[in-house]
Amino acid sequence: FLILLFFLIKSNLFANEKKKIIENFNNIETLKFDFIQISNDNKENGNCFLKRPHFLKCEYKNENKKELIINRRNLVIYHKKFNKTYYYPVSKSYFADILNREKFANLISNGNINLYDDGFGIKYFSEDKGNIIFFFHKENLNLIGWEFIDFNENHTSFKINNLRKNETLDKKLFAIPEAN
């Protein structure tokens, strides 16, 4: 009986945390942040700008001056150094879920939550996209990063620093460069 009671109490506490995370994230219109991304032992950093519900731009501080841009249904990787633009379907990524309030709430509600030293992790699996774990700060419930494992076992870790919320962002920032 005590074991069952423990799991019920734990389940209710975590359900409340999920609800708070969703409410906190749904109150965000824009985000600006710095990031560190590690993919297959390759470490990159830069900054990102997010404007809900359709826009994201991440500028990488590397020699190719890579940019990841989402503008509605388009996901583009642009290499400024070579003036090359590569198009991908945004529907195949978790970015569409992060930008859309309903999809994000569904993902968090249906994910498995765990407590870590500095916050919460919510793990979600999609048959189309793979595994993702979103990490949230324990005190303020802000998004602090994610880890993604695709179907080829490629692992990407994305850590957020210097998060700023609800600052004005111009839509022109998310313009996709002309195809070449």
Side-chain angles (χ1 to χ4, degrees), residues 31-91:
L31 290 176
K32 291 181 182 179
F33 56 87
D34 301 327
F35 70 86
I36 298 170
Q37 176 180 306
I38 301 172
S39 300
N40 301 323
D41 298 325
N42 183 23
K43 185 175 181 179
E44 299 177 286
N45 63 27
N47 47 39
C48 289
F49 310 89
L50 179 147
K51 183 173 177 65
R52 293 174 105 181
H54 303 293
F55 305 100
L56 175 72
K57 181 175 187 175
C58 295
E59 299 171 334
Y60 289 76
K61 295 178 182 174
N62 61 18
E63 64 184 45
N64 294 337
K65 298 181 180 178
K66 178 171 74 173
E67 295 181 352
L68 179 145
I69 305 167
I70 295 176
N71 187 325
R72 302 208 183 268
R73 288 185 166 80
N74 297 307
L75 188 156
V76 170
I77 303 293
Y78 175 61
H79 293 273
K80 278 186 179 180
K81 181 177 179 178
F82 304 110
N83 195 27
K84 295 288 183 188
T85 306
Y86 304 93
Y87 290 84
Y88 302 94
V90 73
S91 61

Side-chain angles (χ1 to χ4, degrees), residues 21 26 35 78 88 91 95 108 111-112 134 136 158 165:
I21 287 168
N26 281 345
F35 70 86
Y78 175 61
Y88 302 94
S91 61
F95 290 122
I108 297 302
N112 296 320
F134 289 101
F136 299 90
F158 195 90
K165 297 187 216 177

